């Protein structure tokens, strides 16, 4: 965990670069408390102190944590439907780019970055030349990076990413940046800290723009870096649920030991009962003689137990509101009743909102990944973006179907397409639609090639035998 920090005046930077770095640092520090709040709700670390209205919940229970994974569910349910599957091109020649994807483990890295993107509203991809793999691609959340938006150019104006940190000796359990990359239109400036000051090392590039690209969710004209899935309205519903569960838990404790009373007892009997209330509660028999002073017989009674039904109804209402606000199904947030759909078609219809959100997410991220792929190829070849070939600049990001239809549905569709287009049956796409993954497809292709080779050898042997007979 890093805290707020500042660079001060860094030797080697121009006046404009120093101004940009100062603005970036101010933007980073400004958002850290908000990012920490989103982290807390994503991890489910919400205490009663955060949600207590001060009416029904005792103050002594302020540190009680009620388990609620709604924040994580809101992020992960959408992120799991954005399944980046690599790049495609018209010519099919992706050897160089495919190597960059494999060396950077880009598919796995995208899955993690997508969660951060939805949690914070955006995530930043940074690129740098690498002697071993050509281009190194990293993803940074707003918890470790900052950027300024250029409305005129419609892209990032500049940005920085914290690459490495060291433990802060002055504050326990906190870390301070030790290595930061500063991205401008003409260079990547590596900033190193010696504990008291910063040193700059400039590495020029030919890209004409920062080697930094954002993946943004739900951007608006006044919020170009997007909005989090855990925005304030969603967090309020989580607070409401946590508060209701806490009230229900406390009510259940009281219902487990209902209030009993006994009237008209002597002082000795009162002292005996008060000395061990639990023993009196669990005892099978309570005996008391009449009060000699008043002549009255003791009267036993029990107060009516409270009902959990209002709490359950409130939880159901809050869960339904949360499902509507996030696009999740009510089943995803734990509401199960007889009215829930049982057929696959009905369940798919309920999740249609989430599918549409995933399509929107894939569209935006596809554009960003296209830019990342073009810059990565240019860096690997040490050329500018304008010097890329048509095949290199024409790549597109491919995502799996966010609706995640069953294998039976996609296989049926693939067979029908292959009936109309016979060549389609020999493609990898056909094999994917009928349920094979890339590992299976490679095995199938290899075994088919081996079978064709064996058949060719047998034909050659038969031809040689016929020649010998003649």
């Amino acid at each position: 965990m890093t805290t707020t920090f500042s660079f001060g005046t860094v030797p080697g930077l121009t006046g404009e670069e120093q101004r940009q770095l100062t603005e970036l640092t101010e933007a980073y520090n400004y958002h850290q408390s908000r990012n920490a709040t989103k982290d807390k709700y994503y991890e489910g670390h919400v205490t009663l102190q955060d949600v207590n209205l001060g009416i029904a919940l005792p103050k002594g229970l302020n540190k009680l944590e009620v388990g609620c994974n709604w924040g994580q569910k809101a992020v992960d349910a959408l992120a799991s439907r954005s399944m980046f599957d690599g790049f495609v091109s018209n010519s099919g020649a992706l050897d160089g780019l495919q190597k960059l994807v494999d060396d950077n483990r880009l598919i796995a890295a995208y899955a993690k970055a997508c969660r951060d993107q939805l949690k914070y509203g955006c995530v930043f991809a940074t690129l740098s030349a690498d002697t071993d793999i050509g281009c190194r691609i990293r993803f940074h959340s707003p918890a470790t990076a900052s950027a300024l938006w250029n409305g005129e150019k419609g892209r990032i104006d500049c940005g920085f990413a914290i690459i490495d940190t060291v433990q802060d000796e002055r504050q326990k359990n906190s870390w301070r940046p030790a290595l930061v990359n500063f991205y401008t239109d003409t260079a990547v400036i590596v900033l190193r800290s010696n504990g008291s000051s910063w040193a700059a090392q400039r590495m020029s590039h030919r890209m004409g723009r920062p080697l930094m690209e954002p993946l943004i969710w739900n951007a608006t004209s006044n919020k170009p870096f997007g909005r989090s899935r855990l925005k304030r309205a969603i967090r309020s519903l989580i607070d409401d649920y946590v508060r209701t569960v806490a009230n229900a838990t406390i009510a259940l404790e009281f219902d487990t030991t209902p209030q009993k009373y006994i009237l008209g007892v002597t002082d000795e009997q009162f002292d005996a009962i008060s000395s061990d209330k639990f023993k009196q509660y669990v005892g099978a028999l309570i005996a008391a003689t009449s009060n000699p002073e008043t002549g009255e017989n003791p009267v036993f009674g029990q107060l009516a137990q409270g009902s959990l039904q209002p709490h359950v109804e409130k939880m159901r209402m809050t869960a339904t509101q949360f499902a509507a606000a996030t696009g999740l199904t009510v089943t995803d947030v734990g509401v199960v009743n007889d009215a829930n759909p049982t057929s696959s078609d009905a369940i798919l219809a309920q999740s249609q909102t989430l599918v549409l959100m995933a399509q929107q997410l894939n569209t935006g991220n596809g554009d960003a990944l296209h830019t990342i792929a073009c810059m990565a190829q240019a860096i690997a070849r040490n050329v500018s973006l304008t010097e890329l070939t048509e095949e290199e600049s024409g790549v597109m990001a491919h995502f799996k179907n966010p609706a995640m239809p069953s294998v039976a549905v996609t296989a049926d569709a693939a067979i029908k397409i292959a009936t109309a287009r016979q060549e389609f049956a020999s493609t990898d796409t056909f094999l994917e639609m009928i349920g094979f993954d890339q590992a299976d497809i490679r095995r199938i292709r290899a075994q088919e090639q081996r079978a064709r080779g064996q058949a060719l050898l047998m034909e050659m042997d038969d031809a040689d035998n016929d020649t010998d007979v003649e």
Side-chain angles (χ1 to χ4, degrees), residues 105-126:
R105 299 181 179 178
L106 195 58
I107 294 177
Y110 171 83
K112 293 184 289 186
C114 190
R115 286 178 168 82
D116 284 339
Q117 174 190 5
L118 296 173
K119 186 200 302 184
Y120 298 109
C122 68
V123 72
F124 303 101
T126 61

Side-chain angles (χ1 to χ4, degrees), residues 119-393:
K119 186 200 302 184
Y120 298 109
C122 68
V123 72
F124 303 101
T126 61
L127 300 92
S128 59
D130 189 284
T131 55
D132 296 328
I133 63 175
C135 179
R136 178 74 62 184
I137 304 172
R138 295 187 180 97
F139 289 98
H140 307 270
S141 76
T144 58
S146 179
L148 299 178
W149 185 259
N150 189 316
E152 180 183 358
K153 298 177 182 178
R155 61 165 172 80
I156 283 179
D157 190 42
C158 59
F160 74 67
I162 299 173
I163 305 301
D164 195 13
T165 59
V166 295
Q167 193 165 11
D168 196 333
E169 298 85 358
R170 294 170 297 179
Q171 298 184 28
K172 187 179 180 181
N173 298 327
S174 65
W175 300 77
R176 58 180 176 84
L179 178 63
V180 177
N181 284 351
F182 176 30
Y183 302 91
T184 68
D185 285 347
T186 58
V188 176
I189 304 174
V190 181
L191 305 173
R192 288 184 172 86
S193 171
N194 59 11
S196 59
S197 62
W198 292 84
Q201 179 184 3
R202 186 180 302 272
M203 298 181 180
S204 301
H205 60 74
R206 305 169 55 189
M207 206 62 60
R209 55 155 296 159
L211 302 183
M212 189 177 193
E213 179 69 15
L215 280 70
I216 303 170
W217 165 249
N218 202 14
T220 61
S221 57
N222 63 336
K223 290 192 175 182
F225 285 117
R227 294 177 293 176
S228 169
R229 284 274 284 172
L230 302 177
K231 50 185 178 286
R232 183 172 299 178
I234 302 299
R235 299 199 300 267
S236 296
L237 289 172
I238 295 176
D239 291 345
D240 196 11
Y241 176 81
V242 170
R243 186 164 48 245
T244 304
V245 171
N247 282 326
T249 303
I250 295 172
L252 182 61
E253 290 291 325
F254 284 113
D255 291 347
T256 304
T257 56
Q259 293 285 334
K260 295 183 179 181
Y261 62 88
I262 181 171
L263 305 176
V265 295
T266 64
D267 292 341
E268 292 79 6
Q269 292 169 338
F270 176 82
D271 292 338
I273 295 173
S274 301
S275 63
D276 195 345
K277 294 181 180 180
F278 183 75
K279 180 178 178 181
Q280 302 296 329
Y281 173 77
V282 300
L285 180 64
I286 298 179
T289 60
S290 61
N291 192 325
E293 297 178 0
T294 62
E296 297 179 355
N297 292 323
V299 177
F300 297 89
Q302 177 175 304
L303 299 179
Q305 285 182 296
S307 174
L308 287 179
Q309 190 60 34
H311 302 285
V312 174
E313 291 299 325
K314 174 59 177 174
M315 282 190 284
R316 191 183 302 278
M317 182 182 71
T318 303
T320 305
Q321 290 176 316
F322 185 85
T326 57
L328 302 177
T329 65
V330 290
T331 306
D332 289 331
V333 291
V335 177
V336 180
N337 54 42
D338 296 336
N340 282 341
T342 55
S343 68
S344 59
D345 291 341
I347 293 175
L348 181 61
Q350 264 203 351
S351 62
Q352 193 62 32
T353 300
L354 199 64
V355 172
L356 294 175
M357 288 182 178
Q359 291 174 344
Q360 176 188 347
L361 178 64
N362 291 346
T363 300
N365 287 356
D367 291 340
L369 289 169
H370 166 75
T371 302
I372 293 169
C374 290
M375 288 198 294
Q377 293 174 101
I379 292 172
R381 288 183 49 205
N382 194 24
V383 298
S384 65
L385 285 174
T386 57
E387 296 177 89
L388 291 177
T389 65
E390 185 177 350
E391 290 77 11
E392 289 173 332
S393 60

Side-chain angles (χ1 to χ4, degrees), residues 48-122:
L48 294 187
Q49 186 174 2
D50 301 316
V51 304
N52 194 355
L53 297 178
I55 300 175
L57 295 177
K59 293 183 178 180
L61 300 177
N62 277 348
K63 295 184 179 181
L64 176 67
E65 287 191 9
V66 177
C68 179
N69 68 338
W70 280 7
Q72 184 176 357
K73 190 72 174 182
V75 170
D76 292 355
L78 180 54
S80 63
R81 289 182 179 269
S82 181
M83 296 168 282
F84 174 57
D85 200 29
F87 293 96
V88 296
S89 69
N90 293 331
S91 63
L94 288 172
D95 294 339
L97 180 57
Q98 186 59 45
K99 186 176 185 304
L100 289 174
V101 171
D102 294 339
D103 290 341
N104 285 283
R105 299 181 179 178
L106 195 58
I107 294 177
Y110 171 83
K112 293 184 289 186
C114 190
R115 286 178 168 82
D116 284 339
Q117 174 190 5
L118 296 173
K119 186 200 302 184
Y120 298 109
C122 68

